[in-house]
């Protein structure tokens, strides 16, 4: 039996096993079944509870089960109503009244209402202990700042002040200051509204052991939201199954059973599609696009992302700007993007995606120049430099980095050309590459960002508005600029502030942005309805048999 034939039979056997398992939960199996849609992802979720997540693969599942007060229109960045039908602010810009949708039920049959909204916000605001770790409540801290009682003096005052249920359909949220990004931020899956009864039943407790988060509460494995799909089962390492919510308040899902299978390797995802094990997948590799274009539906996303090398300035000598600039001049970003990225990708000049207002070409730039890199290292007294370089060795494929290992190998070779010895720190995405980065354990690392909403605050504000362990610096000039920009309600002045911030950030160089990427999803032609979303916010309830 030749290798190709053997792989084919193995793939069919796996598909048959999955089909049998899915038939048991009411579907017909992946690969063309009318009642089941099987989608291949780059990794498994961390936990199916939005407030504790910051990664796209977790949010992909959360978005199908949960809803927030607002969302973005599928396929666009436009903010539209979700659980709130409309909203308005008072003259101060700090008091926001949300008029909630009537007749909405959580999956456990309890009512969605203003009390449920306030229960969730107050719960997040009152987090203590491990829940105040930036590795856990990343988005709460980047959007709302601190908690009711900060346990870390570095946490600032909270943007959130209170929530009042005026009546079952009216929730009033009061902020401590105006925020131009407050409403767009609420579209994040991190601010999904969960059933209070389920939160009380299952709990969301967690601990941190040896720097790794352990989710001891069960809400992350028993999610209860209001969305078009309900949680069915999660067999880690195998599949995560959702079922249509037939009591959904809005347009009901077309497909009865939605399955996510984590397949970290690009080539393995392609083989699963071709063998019938899955019906579609994300993050199509650049070299696979031509061969898929004719036989499948190929969906293109706009490049609202950035890939970058991050520096932790708490780890010497990365606190030396000459060393950071030397690294920037040493890496050949143009060659990498040209050889490893799909059509439409471009070299990044700054941390903000070009499609976002606030981007400017007028920033300090660092061309590929090995001789200049050597000169800067010599000036810094670092002629025999060794650096730990962290990268996701598996499960880390993202739109901004379809193949992180290939990126690492390319940059490693570039750095060694200028005399920097690289200690490879390849770590699986789960667990816990992201935890190592967010906790400040990683010295230099490959990571990136896919926009959650189309606003400069979702890039620069998330990265640099306050001190963060992953970057390890305290730069009041940058922090103040971004605080001003967040509170500025005049659109033109706000854009100017973000352009100014971009220049200051790239002069300070807390990391090296290297790519903005269009990314691609692929699904079988037997299915239709899925819209590629610039925020990777695909709504699978829209998928239907062709």
């Amino acid at each position: 039996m030749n290798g190709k034939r053997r792989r084919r039979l193995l793939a069919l056997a796996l598909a048959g096993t999955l089909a049998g398992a899915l038939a048991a939960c009411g579907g017909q199996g992946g690969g063309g079944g009318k009642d089941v849609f099987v989608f291949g992802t780059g990794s498994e979720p961390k936990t199916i509870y939005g407030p504790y997540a910051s990664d796209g693969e977790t949010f992909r599942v959360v978005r199908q089960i949960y809803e927030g007060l607002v969302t973005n229109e599928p396929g666009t960045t436009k903010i539209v109503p979700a659980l709130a039908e409309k909203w308005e602010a008072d003259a101060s810009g700090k008091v926001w009244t949300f008029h909630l949708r009537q007749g909405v039920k959580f999956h456990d049959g309890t009512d969605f209402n203003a009390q449920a909204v306030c229960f969730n916000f107050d719960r997040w605001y009152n987090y203590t202990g491990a829940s105040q770790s930036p590795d856990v409540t990343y988005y709460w801290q980047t959007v709302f700042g601190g908690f009711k009682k900060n346990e870390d003096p570095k946490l600032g005052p909270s943007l959130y002040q209170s929530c009042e249920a005026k009546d079952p359909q009216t929730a009033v949220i009061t902020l401590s200051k105006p925020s131009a990004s407050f409403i767009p931020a609420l579209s994040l899956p991190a601010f999904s509204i969960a059933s209070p009864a389920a939160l009380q039943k299952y709990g969301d407790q967690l601990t941190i052991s040896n720097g790794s988060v352990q989710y001891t509460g069960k809400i992350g494995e028993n999610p209860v939201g209001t969305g078009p799909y309900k949680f069915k089962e999660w067999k880690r390492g195998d599949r995560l199954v959702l079922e249509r919510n037939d009591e959904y308040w809005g347009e009901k899902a077309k497909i009865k059973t939605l399955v996510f299978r984590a397949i970290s390797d690009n080539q393995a995802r392609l083989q699963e599609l071709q063998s019938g094990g899955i019906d579609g997948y994300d993050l199509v590799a650049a070299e696979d696009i031509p061969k898929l274009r004719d036989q499948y539906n190929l969906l293109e996303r706009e490049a609202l992302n950035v890939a970058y090398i991050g520096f932790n300035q708490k780890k010497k000598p990365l606190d030396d700007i000459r060393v950071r600039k030397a690294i920037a001049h040493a890496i050949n970003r143009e060659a990498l993007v040209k050889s490893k990225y799909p059509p439409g990708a471009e070299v990044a000049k700054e941390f903000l995606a070009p499609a976002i207002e606030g981007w400017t070409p007028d920033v300090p730039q660092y061309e590929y120049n090995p001789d200049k890199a050597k000169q800067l290292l010599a000036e810094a007294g670092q002629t025999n430099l060794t650096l730990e370089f962290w990268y996701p060795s598996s499960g880390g494929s993202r739109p901004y980095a379809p193949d992180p290992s290939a990126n690492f190998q390319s940059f490693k070779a570039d750095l060694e050309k200028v005399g920097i010895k690289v200690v490879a720190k390849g770590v699986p995405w789960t667990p816990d590459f992201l935890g190592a980065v967010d906790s400040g354990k990683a010295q230099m690392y490959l990571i990136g960002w896919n926009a959650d909403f189309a606003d400069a605050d979702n890039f620069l504000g998330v990265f640099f508005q306050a001190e963060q362990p992953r970057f390890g610096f305290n730069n009041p000039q940058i922090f103040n600029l971004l605080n001003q920009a967040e509170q500025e309600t005049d659109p033109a002045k706000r854009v100017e502030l973000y352009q100014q911030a971009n220049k200051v950030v790239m002069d300070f160089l807390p990391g090296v942005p290297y790519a903005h990427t269009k990314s691609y999803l692929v699904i079988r032609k037997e299915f239709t309805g899925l819209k590629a979303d610039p925020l990777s916010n695909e709504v699978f309830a829209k998928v239907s048999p062709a």
Side-chain angles (χ1 to χ4, degrees):
M1 184 183 295
N2 64 38
K4 185 176 181 181
R5 168 71 174 161
R6 188 173 175 177
R7 286 195 297 274
R8 171 70 176 167
L9 290 178
L10 177 60
L12 289 173
L14 289 171
T17 301
L18 177 63
L22 295 176
C25 52
Q28 298 177 13
K34 299 296 184 183
D35 291 333
V36 179
F37 185 77
V38 185
F39 193 76
T41 63
S43 63
E44 290 194 306
K46 292 171 61 179
T47 172
I48 316 173
Y49 183 54
Y52 284 167
S54 61
D55 66 297
E57 294 297 9
T58 297
F59 284 166
R60 190 197 301 277
V61 177
V62 169
R63 284 178 181 118
Q64 318 308 321
I65 300 172
Y66 287 104
E67 296 171 296
L69 294 176
V70 306
T71 188
N72 64 296
E73 187 174 279
T76 78
T77 59
K78 180 183 177 184
I79 297 297
V80 296
L83 291 176
E85 290 184 308
K86 59 181 180 179
W87 51 89
E88 69 268 354
D90 72 351
S92 73
K94 296 191 291 185
V95 181
W96 289 84
T97 300
F98 293 88
H99 304 277
L100 308 180
R101 200 173 294 279
Q102 297 189 41
V104 177
K105 296 277 190 183
F106 288 105
H107 299 159
D108 59 6
T110 59
D111 291 332
F112 164 76
N113 52 34
Q115 288 84 356
V117 172
C118 291
F119 183 94
N120 278 265
F121 272 88
D122 286 340
R123 190 179 182 87
W124 305 330
Y125 180 50
N126 282 280
Y127 274 146
T128 59
S131 296
Q132 291 198 8
S133 165
D135 187 25
V136 178
T137 46
Y138 187 81
Y139 273 114
W140 175 270
Q141 296 184 40
T142 54
V143 174
F144 290 99
F147 300 87
K148 185 175 183 179
K149 293 181 180 178
N150 290 337
E151 296 176 13
D152 184 339
K154 293 178 181 175
L155 285 166
S158 181
L159 175 66
Y160 177 83
Q161 198 166 77
S162 66
C163 180
E164 180 184 2
K166 286 280 189 182
D167 59 56
Q169 261 54 62
T170 310
V172 179
I173 294 176
T174 301
L175 307 179
S176 59
K177 60 183 180 181
S179 170
S181 62
F182 170 59
I183 293 297
L186 291 186
S187 67
L188 285 164
F191 304 121
S192 300
I193 304 299
S195 158
L199 284 167
Q200 291 170 322
K201 178 180 179 180
Y202 296 113
D204 63 347
Q205 294 85 5
L206 53 83
T207 60
I208 295 180
S209 177
N210 297 323
S212 181
V213 180
Q214 307 295 320
Y215 297 95
T216 54
K218 297 299 181 185
I219 190 66
E221 297 176 354
N222 298 274
V224 181
T226 60
Y229 278 102
K230 300 188 292 186
F231 176 75
K232 173 68 175 178
E233 67 173 345
W234 184 8
K235 294 188 176 182
R236 289 184 184 269
D238 182 6
R239 66 184 184 274
L240 195 157
V241 183
L242 309 183
E243 284 196 332
R244 181 171 57 215
N245 173 17
D246 289 325
E247 307 302 319
Y248 185 55
W249 59 267
E251 183 181 350
K252 294 177 179 53
K254 307 291 191 304
I255 300 290
K256 182 177 181 181
T257 304
L258 174 62
V259 181
F260 293 106
R261 291 183 58 201
I263 306 168
S264 62
D265 181 72
N266 284 336
Q267 195 61 26
R269 285 197 294 272
L270 172 64
Q271 290 173 353
E272 284 286 339
L273 179 74
Q274 293 173 326
S275 68
I278 60 177
D279 297 308
Y281 67 90
D282 199 355
L283 309 177
V284 177
E287 62 270 22
D288 295 332
I289 289 173
K291 73 181 77 169
L292 292 174
R293 194 179 294 280
D294 292 336
Q295 297 183 44
Y296 300 91
N297 290 323
L298 204 60
L299 310 176
E300 178 185 293
R301 285 198 196 97
E302 190 177 352
L304 289 182
N305 55 46
V306 61
Y308 66 90
I309 298 172
F311 301 138
N312 182 348
Q313 294 185 39
K314 292 287 187 188
K315 306 275 190 181
K316 291 182 180 296
L318 293 177
D319 58 332
D320 189 329
I321 183 65
R322 294 169 296 185
V323 174
R324 303 198 297 275
K325 287 184 175 179
I327 294 170
H329 284 296
I331 63 171
N332 192 341
R333 294 172 287 175
E334 291 80 4
L336 177 79
V337 170
K338 186 175 181 181
S339 63
K340 300 294 183 183
Y341 277 73
E346 58 184 292
V347 174
K349 296 182 174 64
E350 58 204 75
F351 285 88
L352 192 59
I356 305 290
E357 288 190 333
W359 183 88
T360 172
D362 189 20
V363 295
Q365 298 184 30
Y366 303 90
E367 77 284 2
Y368 176 56
N369 188 334
D371 290 337
K372 192 166 185 177
K374 291 177 183 176
Q375 177 189 337
L376 284 163
L377 289 172
E379 290 175 6
Q382 298 291 342
T383 54
N384 192 27
L385 178 59
T386 299
L387 292 172
E388 284 188 357
F389 197 169
W390 293 61
Y391 69 99
S393 57
S394 63
S397 296
R398 295 293 184 276
Y400 51 77
D403 190 347
S405 293
N407 293 4
F408 167 76
Q409 293 298 338
S410 176
F411 290 148
K412 176 176 180 288
D414 290 339
L415 293 171
E416 289 174 344
K417 285 180 185 174
V418 301
I420 297 175
K421 183 179 179 182
V422 173
V423 177
K425 300 289 287 186
V427 178
W429 184 272
T430 305
D432 193 15
F433 173 77
L434 190 58
V437 171
D438 282 343
S439 65
K441 187 177 179 180
Q443 183 178 28
M444 185 169 72
Y445 47 88
L446 280 185
I447 203 164
W449 187 257
N450 204 58
D452 302 294
F453 53 93
D455 190 282
D457 182 59
N458 189 235
F459 284 83
L460 298 180
V462 168
F463 300 154
F464 308 125
Q465 197 163 343
E467 188 170 358
Q468 293 202 49
R470 71 161 59 180
F471 291 110
F473 69 82
N474 185 340
N475 187 320
Q477 183 187 14
I478 293 175
F479 298 165
N480 291 338
L481 263 175
L482 293 174
N483 279 323
Q484 289 178 49
E486 184 196 358
Q487 296 181 55
E488 179 57 63
T489 55
D490 183 309
K493 291 180 181 176
R494 194 162 183 261
V495 168
E496 288 178 8
L497 284 167
Y498 278 118
Q499 289 177 333
Q500 185 180 350
N502 269 320
K503 297 172 189 174
V504 175
V505 165
M506 287 310 296
D507 185 53
F508 183 63
L509 206 62
V512 184
Y514 63 87
H516 303 296
T517 326
K518 287 188 175 180
S519 62
Y520 295 82
L521 304 96
V522 61
I523 64 171
R524 298 182 178 286
K525 288 195 172 178
E526 289 87 346
F527 293 95
T528 187
L530 187 65
K531 286 187 177 179
D533 191 283
L535 305 173
S536 298
N537 193 18
E538 280 78 27
V539 179
F540 286 86
K542 302 288 186 184
V543 177
S544 66

